[in-house]
Amino acid sequence: MFSKFLNLDKEKQQRVLNAALKEFARKGYDDASTIEIVKEAGISKGLLFHYFNTKKDLFLFLYDYSMKIIKTEYFDMINTKDKDIFVRLRQVYLLKIELIHEYPWLFQFSAVAASTDSKDVKKELESRKLEMESMGFAKMFENIDESKFKKGIDVEKAKNIIFWAIGGYTNKVIEEVKASELEEPDYDKVLEEFDAYLDILKVWAYN
Amino acid sequence: MFSKFLNLDKEKQQRVLNAALKEFARKGYDDASTIEIVKEAGISKGLLFHYFNTKKDLFLFLYDYSMKIIKTEYFDMINTKDKDIFVRLRQVYLLKIELIHEYPWLFQFSAVAASTDSKDVKKELESRKLEMESMGFAKMFENIDESKFKKGIDVEKAKNIIFWAIGGYTNKVIEEVKASELEEPDYDKVLEEFDAYLDILKVWAYN
Amino acid sequence: MFSKFLNLDKEKQQRVLNAALKEFARKGYDDASTIEIVKEAGISKGLLFHYFNTKKDLFLFLYDYSMKIIKTEYFDMINTKDKDIFVRLRQVYLLKIELIHEYPWLFQFSAVAASTDSKDVKKELESRKLEMESMGFAKMFENIDESKFKKGIDVEKAKNIIFWAIGGYTNKVIEEVKASELEEPDYDKVLEEFDAYLDILKVWAYN
Amino acid sequence: MFSKFLNLDKEKQQRVLNAALKEFARKGYDDASTIEIVKEAGISKGLLFHYFNTKKDLFLFLYDYSMKIIKTEYFDMINTKDKDIFVRLRQVYLLKIELIHEYPWLFQFSAVAASTDSKDVKKELESRKLEMESMGFAKMFENIDESKFKKGIDVEKAKNIIFWAIGGYTNKVIEEVKASELEEPDYDKVLEEFDAYLDILKVWAYN
DNA sequence: TATGAATGAGAGTTCATTCAT
DNA sequence: TATGAATGAACTCTCATTCAT
């Protein structure tokens, strides 16, 4: 199907993939411009369609590509031997930062793809949505030692609060990066702050 | 500037405003269609441009209009005499539900506007972003009795966690409404669950 | 459906119709250029699509329009009281010339439409093909006095020969007009020659 | 000019020629796709252009090639010793069927080429149109014994009628083949019917 | 004020043709 | 000679915006 593209040398593939992920991540499906993608990738308009046939196919290719990476290089890498939820979350966070380094637009693209309502791709997306979010959520909280939690509290809700709190912090970092037009945050500082939040949650949630 | 529009009878103004808020909220700036707006509003295409000159001006008018409502009818209505953060949050939540009833697309529009990156409006939006979020955050946590919090914990971070947890729950509700294609959730059930989350956070955060 | 177009003043309608009939008649469906049509019609690119939505819809509109004219102003006008086949054919021929005067590209368009294989319109065409040709053939030869024909000859085949001979002459005239780049032939000369052919066929076919 | 192509082994030449004739015959000049040709011929895109430079040159090469075959293997093969027009026509008909067997797309291609109006090739076609039709017509009716015709009738016109009648029958057969999606008609049946038409014409035209 | 026909730049896509290998 | 990736002009179609009425 996409063999023409996949036979390219890796460097050119990366250029095209990153350009496309970036454009879709920033503008969403409908507003993303194929012209911007080819400009950024340094290829001609015709060539993009030589590889991917349509904008829609390109998007779905990127979706599958992203999901594959997120599954194999993120979810599957979560070590469920750490049973303490905060040790686990820290581990996952470090994994994510690593991945963002390698694929700067991957998570933003997948977030945009997950929430798009564009009628062109909605149907196809629904049919393949493996619920990355829920899959990630499940893996993140798999085999957790719940005995450490304060008694008398709904553990599912407790997990949700922890999940949302961490997601909130992550979004804050992303917003700050966007606003300051940095390409990358200072990950040491971020991790330090992240740990501070984990510490609070630990004190709160555990006995 | 928009005097032509503002001189209309209120009923017609509302029709146009709601139609436009709805379209932008659903599709984002670039993908919103002026023809859909005029159809829904029951006016002609020419008239919309007679009132607002350009799509961009319409959008920015809506943004300012939304911010004004959110400020005057939401943030300013927060009663800071309730010093307990969880009493406060519950109060704010009820206020928001009330406002959603009156302006169904207001908060979704403001969320879309806040996160749009469309180059047409990005610059103007930045220059006027009064940081609704931070403004809301500030008001929501203004004059809070911090003595109730567990000692030895960074209060600002604690507030953030609570804020994000609540935001997370809100988004979950919105996603569920979207997925079930309901126009409105069952607010009683939602409030009950909301309270359950507040209770957990209370146990956690307070002594 | 095509109300926007049908509400135009007749002169503009004619300009657009003739431009489109001409372009499709000359180049066939696939190769016809909407740009050429709008140039010839003196309207803008957008306007053609404002009227007809797609090239396909335009083509099918033209098809239905042409079939209607050919039916009501050609086939239905054939006077079947003339039972002599040669009187009938002469009558039909005069009718056709008249119609060509009014709608110069009508018959060429309908011939092109009948023989097009373009996958875009093939299906729709098939579903509505009222078999103009066979319908015309039927009407042309309806209520003919067959007693005048030479005995012992298959009358159906005889009719076919006459039909093809006349068709052949007609095509010859069309080719000559094309080659000389005249817009219209000298109809008096053509009719004279046509009569000469009819006379021969009469001597041949009748006793 | 086309020496690169002509130096190929005959089998490959034939593959390319037949693929190209078929594609042009089916779709006309403008709508014919070079990629379809190379796929059918089993060569690469670059190679086609290496041989023929442009689509136009390929088309004109095919035209000249076709005309040459039609001249040498069709018109020149007409045996003018048969002076009876109907014997002659039958002979020509059999010749044509034979040739169609050998070059399935030859006549359809030449018909399409003769009637194309595509501006790319129109001019060149006109300048070399040796009037295949008229050439064939001339040869077909060369050295015919006109004494057998009914007296008092314009012999040229009589010949035309016979020519058109036969052409009409031929087109009918082609249409029927197309409609039934057969690759080839039942030639025995066709010949039988063809003879029936010749018989009628014979009775009519001769004393 | 109010309409919607009219405009044209720009979108995604196709395809003959070129060119590095 | 042979390949097919790469190009870019041209296609159909969309849509914010203008303008005659």
Side-chain angles (χ1 to χ4, degrees):
Chain A
M1 179 95 206
F2 299 103
S3 54
K4 283 170 198 159
F5 178 70
L6 296 167
N7 287 334
L8 292 179
D9 62 287
K10 294 299 160 194
E11 189 274 333
K12 193 168 188 175
Q13 277 190 39
Q14 279 309 317
R15 253 169 42 223
V16 174
L17 285 173
N18 286 332
L21 283 170
K22 183 175 175 181
E23 180 71 8
F24 281 121
R26 280 181 160 167
K27 311 219 189 128
Y29 179 79
D30 288 295
D31 191 38
S33 158
T34 53
I35 260 194
E36 291 301 318
I37 294 172
V38 302
K39 270 188 205 161
E40 174 103 11
I43 60 170
S44 73
K45 209 146 48 120
L47 193 49
L48 187 73
F49 289 90
H50 180 62
Y51 295 145
F52 296 107
N53 296 320
T54 64
K55 184 183 181 181
K56 180 177 165 179
D57 286 350
L58 165 59
F59 184 84
L60 294 174
F61 174 85
L62 289 173
Y63 184 81
D64 292 339
Y65 164 83
S66 299
M67 291 308 107
K68 199 177 168 186
I69 291 177
I70 287 175
K71 193 189 174 309
T72 60
E73 300 192 34
Y74 186 47
F75 297 155
D76 289 357
M77 300 300 276
I78 296 174
N79 182 355
T80 54
K81 281 176 188 160
D82 293 323
K83 294 191 175 179
D84 185 285
I85 191 169
F86 297 104
V87 175
R88 175 79 56 82
L89 288 171
R90 192 169 196 279
Q91 185 215 120
V92 170
Y93 203 74
L94 290 170
L95 209 49
K96 191 169 187 175
I97 287 171
E98 235 176 276
L99 216 52
I100 287 173
H101 252 104
E102 210 174 334
Y103 308 95
W105 296 98
L106 186 69
F107 287 99
Q108 288 202 48
F109 172 83
S110 86
V112 164
S115 69
T116 190
D117 269 334
S118 171
K119 69 171 168 30
D120 278 7
V121 289
K122 206 180 177 182
K123 217 180 135 191
E124 277 81 3
L125 238 38
E126 268 166 17
S127 76
R128 66 182 80 188
K129 249 184 204 165
L130 310 162
E131 290 305 328
M132 182 193 58
E133 279 280 307
S134 77
M135 189 174 146
F137 187 88
K139 195 69 194 290
M140 224 177 273
F141 293 93
E142 185 185 308
N143 197 32
I144 285 297
D145 179 1
E146 297 181 354
S147 69
K148 294 182 175 179
F149 281 85
K150 276 200 173 78
K151 305 300 165 205
I153 272 176
D154 180 332
V155 181
E156 287 315 308
K157 284 196 173 57
K159 285 177 182 171
N160 279 336
I161 290 174
I162 295 166
F163 186 69
W164 292 328
I166 285 167
Y169 175 65
T170 307
N171 287 336
K172 191 190 133 205
V173 172
I174 292 170
E175 290 305 318
E176 282 168 1
V177 171
K178 268 191 193 170
S180 66
E181 286 172 32
L182 272 117
E183 278 286 298
E184 291 204 56
D186 175 344
Y187 283 115
D188 288 338
K189 263 195 176 170
V190 167
L191 188 57
E192 202 179 315
E193 208 172 15
F194 179 76
D195 282 335
Y197 278 105
L198 283 191
D199 286 341
I200 295 172
L201 285 165
K202 198 181 215 163
V203 170
W204 284 8
Y206 282 3
N207 288 306
Chain B
M1 179 96 206
F2 298 105
S3 54
K4 285 172 201 154
F5 177 69
L6 295 168
N7 287 332
L8 293 178
D9 63 285
K10 295 298 159 194
E11 189 275 333
K12 193 167 186 177
Q13 278 189 38
Q14 278 310 316
R15 255 169 39 222
V16 174
L17 287 173
N18 285 333
L21 282 171
K22 182 176 176 180
E23 180 70 8
F24 282 119
R26 279 183 161 165
K27 308 207 189 142
Y29 179 78
D30 289 286
D31 199 34
S33 156
T34 54
I35 212 167
E36 290 301 319
I37 294 172
V38 302
K39 269 190 205 159
E40 174 105 10
I43 61 168
S44 74
K45 228 156 172 244
L47 200 48
L48 186 74
F49 285 88
H50 180 63
Y51 295 145
F52 297 106
N53 293 320
T54 66
K55 185 183 181 181
K56 180 176 163 181
D57 286 349
L58 165 60
F59 184 83
L60 294 174
F61 175 85
L62 289 173
Y63 184 81
D64 292 340
Y65 163 82
S66 299
M67 290 309 105
K68 199 176 166 187
I69 290 178
I70 287 176
K71 192 187 174 311
T72 60
E73 300 191 35
Y74 186 47
F75 297 155
D76 289 357
M77 300 300 278
I78 295 174
N79 182 354
T80 54
K81 282 178 189 159
D82 292 324
K83 293 190 176 180
D84 184 285
I85 189 168
F86 296 105
V87 175
R88 174 79 57 81
L89 287 171
R90 195 170 195 278
Q91 185 217 119
V92 170
Y93 202 75
L94 291 170
L95 205 52
K96 190 170 186 174
I97 288 171
E98 235 176 276
L99 213 54
I100 287 173
H101 258 104
E102 208 174 335
Y103 306 95
W105 298 100
L106 186 69
F107 287 99
Q108 286 202 50
F109 171 83
S110 86
V112 163
S115 70
T116 190
D117 266 331
S118 172
K119 69 171 170 19
D120 279 7
V121 289
K122 203 181 178 184
K123 222 180 129 189
E124 277 81 4
L125 236 40
E126 268 166 16
S127 75
R128 66 181 77 190
K129 248 185 204 166
L130 309 162
E131 289 304 329
M132 182 190 60
E133 280 276 308
S134 76
M135 189 175 146
F137 185 88
K139 195 67 194 290
M140 221 177 274
F141 292 92
E142 186 185 306
N143 196 31
I144 284 296
D145 179 2
E146 297 181 352
S147 68
K148 293 183 174 176
F149 282 85
K150 276 199 175 77
K151 306 300 165 207
I153 273 176
D154 180 332
V155 181
E156 286 315 307
K157 285 197 170 58
K159 286 178 182 170
N160 278 336
I161 289 174
I162 293 166
F163 185 70
W164 291 329
I166 284 167
Y169 176 65
T170 306
N171 288 337
K172 193 191 131 203
V173 172
I174 291 170
E175 289 306 317
E176 283 169 1
V177 171
K178 269 192 194 168
S180 66
E181 286 171 32
L182 275 122
E183 278 285 301
E184 290 204 56
D186 175 343
Y187 283 116
D188 287 339
K189 262 196 178 168
V190 167
L191 189 56
E192 201 179 317
E193 208 172 14
F194 180 76
D195 282 335
Y197 279 106
L198 283 192
D199 286 342
I200 295 172
L201 286 164
K202 198 181 218 163
V203 170
W204 283 8
Y206 283 3
N207 287 307
Chain C
M1 177 98 209
F2 299 102
S3 54
K4 283 170 198 160
F5 178 70
L6 296 168
N7 286 334
L8 293 178
D9 62 287
K10 295 297 159 194
E11 189 274 333
K12 193 168 186 177
Q13 276 191 39
Q14 278 310 315
R15 253 167 44 221
V16 174
L17 285 173
N18 285 333
L21 283 170
K22 183 175 174 181
E23 181 70 7
F24 282 120
R26 279 181 162 166
K27 312 221 187 125
Y29 179 79
D30 288 296
D31 191 38
S33 158
T34 52
I35 262 195
E36 290 301 317
I37 295 172
V38 302
K39 269 189 205 161
E40 174 102 12
I43 60 170
S44 75
K45 217 164 13 143
L47 194 49
L48 188 73
F49 290 90
H50 180 63
Y51 294 146
F52 296 107
N53 296 320
T54 65
K55 185 182 179 180
K56 181 177 164 180
D57 285 350
L58 165 60
F59 184 84
L60 293 175
F61 174 85
L62 289 174
Y63 185 80
D64 292 338
Y65 163 84
S66 298
M67 289 308 108
K68 198 176 168 186
I69 291 177
I70 288 176
K71 194 189 172 310
T72 59
E73 299 191 36
Y74 186 48
F75 296 155
D76 289 356
M77 300 300 277
I78 296 174
N79 181 354
T80 53
K81 282 178 187 159
D82 292 324
K83 294 191 175 179
D84 184 287
I85 191 169
F86 297 105
V87 175
R88 174 79 57 81
L89 287 171
R90 193 170 196 278
Q91 186 216 119
V92 169
Y93 202 75
L94 290 170
L95 208 51
K96 190 169 188 174
I97 287 170
E98 236 175 276
L99 216 52
I100 287 173
H101 251 105
E102 211 173 333
Y103 307 95
W105 298 98
L106 186 69
F107 288 99
Q108 287 201 50
F109 171 83
S110 85
V112 163
S115 70
T116 190
D117 269 334
S118 172
K119 70 172 164 33
D120 279 6
V121 289
K122 207 180 177 182
K123 219 181 132 190
E124 277 82 2
L125 239 38
E126 268 166 17
S127 75
R128 67 182 78 189
K129 248 182 203 166
L130 310 162
E131 291 305 329
M132 182 191 59
E133 279 279 307
S134 77
M135 189 174 145
F137 186 88
K139 194 70 195 286
M140 223 178 273
F141 291 94
E142 183 185 308
N143 197 31
I144 284 298
D145 179 1
E146 297 182 352
S147 70
K148 293 182 175 179
F149 281 85
K150 278 200 172 76
K151 306 301 165 205
I153 273 177
D154 181 333
V155 181
E156 287 316 309
K157 285 197 171 56
K159 284 177 182 171
N160 279 336
I161 290 173
I162 294 167
F163 186 71
W164 291 329
I166 284 167
Y169 176 64
T170 306
N171 288 336
K172 191 190 131 203
V173 172
I174 290 170
E175 290 305 318
E176 283 168 0
V177 171
K178 269 191 194 169
S180 66
E181 285 172 33
L182 273 121
E183 277 288 296
E184 291 204 55
D186 174 344
Y187 283 115
D188 287 339
K189 263 194 175 171
V190 168
L191 189 56
E192 201 178 317
E193 208 172 15
F194 180 75
D195 282 334
Y197 279 106
L198 283 191
D199 286 341
I200 294 172
L201 285 164
K202 196 182 218 164
V203 170
W204 283 8
Y206 283 2
N207 288 309
Chain D
M1 178 95 208
F2 299 103
S3 53
K4 285 170 203 156
F5 177 71
L6 296 168
N7 286 334
L8 293 177
D9 63 285
K10 293 299 158 194
E11 189 275 334
K12 191 168 188 177
Q13 278 190 39
Q14 278 310 314
R15 254 168 41 222
V16 174
L17 287 172
N18 286 333
L21 283 170
K22 183 175 175 179
E23 180 71 7
F24 282 120
R26 279 182 160 164
K27 308 209 188 140
Y29 178 78
D30 288 286
D31 199 36
S33 155
T34 54
I35 211 166
E36 289 302 318
I37 294 172
V38 301
K39 269 189 206 160
E40 174 105 11
I43 61 168
S44 74
K45 232 163 167 231
L47 201 46
L48 186 75
F49 285 88
H50 180 66
Y51 295 146
F52 297 107
N53 294 318
T54 65
K55 184 182 182 182
K56 181 176 163 182
D57 286 349
L58 165 59
F59 184 83
L60 294 174
F61 175 84
L62 289 173
Y63 184 81
D64 292 340
Y65 164 84
S66 299
M67 290 309 107
K68 199 175 166 187
I69 291 178
I70 287 175
K71 192 186 175 313
T72 58
E73 299 191 36
Y74 185 49
F75 297 155
D76 289 358
M77 299 300 277
I78 295 172
N79 181 355
T80 53
K81 281 177 188 160
D82 293 322
K83 293 191 175 181
D84 183 286
I85 190 169
F86 297 104
V87 175
R88 174 79 56 82
L89 287 172
R90 195 169 194 279
Q91 185 216 119
V92 170
Y93 202 75
L94 291 170
L95 205 51
K96 189 169 188 175
I97 287 170
E98 236 175 276
L99 214 53
I100 287 174
H101 258 105
E102 209 172 336
Y103 306 94
W105 298 99
L106 186 69
F107 287 99
Q108 287 202 49
F109 171 83
S110 86
V112 163
S115 70
T116 190
D117 267 330
S118 171
K119 70 172 167 23
D120 278 8
V121 290
K122 203 181 179 184
K123 221 180 131 189
E124 275 81 3
L125 237 39
E126 269 166 16
S127 75
R128 67 181 76 189
K129 247 184 204 166
L130 309 163
E131 290 305 329
M132 180 191 62
E133 279 279 306
S134 77
M135 188 175 146
F137 185 88
K139 195 66 196 290
M140 220 177 278
F141 291 94
E142 184 186 306
N143 197 31
I144 285 297
D145 179 2
E146 297 182 352
S147 69
K148 293 181 173 179
F149 283 85
K150 277 201 173 76
K151 306 300 166 206
I153 272 177
D154 180 333
V155 181
E156 286 314 308
K157 286 197 170 56
K159 286 176 181 171
N160 279 335
I161 289 173
I162 294 166
F163 185 70
W164 291 328
I166 284 167
Y169 176 65
T170 306
N171 288 336
K172 191 189 133 206
V173 172
I174 291 170
E175 291 304 318
E176 284 169 0
V177 171
K178 267 192 195 168
S180 65
E181 285 169 32
L182 275 115
E183 278 287 299
E184 289 204 57
D186 174 343
Y187 284 117
D188 288 339
K189 262 195 177 169
V190 167
L191 189 57
E192 202 179 317
E193 207 172 15
F194 179 76
D195 282 335
Y197 279 105
L198 284 191
D199 286 341
I200 294 172
L201 286 165
K202 197 181 215 164
V203 171
W204 283 8
Y206 283 2
N207 288 307

